[in-house]
Amino acid sequence: GGGRVSARHAEDRHHKDFFDESFPLPVEIRAALQDLMNSTCERDDEAFRLVHARRVESSCLWARYRRRLREVASSRGPCAFEGDGEPRIRRAVEELDAPELAPFSHGDMARDACEAFLWLGAKPETALKIMNCGELLDDTERVGNDARFGVGWYFAEDVAQAHRTARPGEHL
């Protein structure tokens, strides 16, 4: 997966470049992700346990994401990270120096669009919807009016912050 499938062929299951797979990650990658989670936590007294990790590859989602990334980059123009600079997760990947985290390295990111990996706190059912459909589908899952910037989806560099916005799940 991850190839250069055209938007025209992204949803054509018979096209040679179509892909749509989901599979559990190997133990080595899960361990590296576990280390990444804990290294992006600002608080030393907090640690997290990775319960489930899957790789999702979809030509439909990939084509849609790349199209949206181009739209954002062209409408906004060049950008740069402000504040503390590049997201903490980039520094953590470099410091951990684990080959399993290569897909998270800044070399694979669109720097001109300030593309970055961030954590999302969501209940398990919502995570499954995102994984299966590629969208944040259920508006009732969004953080409510009491959130700092109002109703919306909140992503975080700090895994502990994402965890604080997550809600417990059911039936999983």
Side-chain angles (χ1 to χ4, degrees):
R4 295 238 181 244
V5 65
S6 70
R8 190 178 70 212
H9 295 115
E11 295 183 35
D12 180 0
R13 291 188 174 279
H14 302 291
H15 193 272
K16 65 180 177 65
D17 293 331
F18 176 85
F19 55 93
D20 188 13
E21 300 179 77
S22 172
F23 48 90
L25 292 177
V27 170
E28 309 81 44
I29 296 176
R30 286 177 48 109
L33 285 173
Q34 177 70 63
D35 291 343
L36 182 60
M37 281 175 54
N38 289 324
S39 67
T40 59
C41 184
E42 284 188 348
R43 295 181 50 167
D44 292 333
D45 62 334
E46 285 189 274
F48 297 90
R49 182 175 61 89
L50 183 63
V51 176
H52 189 78
R54 296 187 70 80
R55 180 169 181 124
V56 177
E57 297 181 357
S58 165
S59 56
C60 300
L61 297 178
W62 183 247
R64 197 163 66 206
Y65 173 74
R66 297 303 298 173
R67 182 175 52 249
R68 182 68 180 130
L69 185 62
R70 283 191 304 275
E71 289 169 3
V72 167
S74 68
S75 69
R76 185 188 54 225
C79 68
F81 291 109
E82 296 184 10
D84 293 335
E86 292 187 348
R88 174 181 312 120
I89 199 164
R90 287 187 179 185
R91 292 187 298 269
V93 167
E94 290 172 9
E95 290 170 7
L96 289 170
D97 194 30
E100 298 84 7
L101 296 176
F104 295 93
S105 71
H106 65 273
D108 290 342
M109 306 301 282
R111 298 177 81 76
D112 60 337
C114 292
E115 185 180 33
F117 285 101
L118 300 169
W119 303 108
L120 170 66
K123 67 183 184 180
E125 294 89 345
T126 301
L128 286 173
K129 286 181 186 177
I130 294 167
M131 186 178 78
N132 291 328
C133 303
E135 296 183 26
L136 303 173
L137 298 175
D138 186 355
D139 281 350
T140 62
E141 268 302 293
R142 300 183 313 166
V143 175
N145 288 326
D146 58 338
R148 186 174 193 173
F149 299 106
V151 174
W153 292 93
Y154 286 77
F155 294 84
E157 290 184 70
D158 180 356
V159 70
Q161 181 64 39
H163 182 259
R164 284 190 284 279
T165 63
R167 298 188 184 126
E170 299 174 11
H171 313 297
L172 292 180

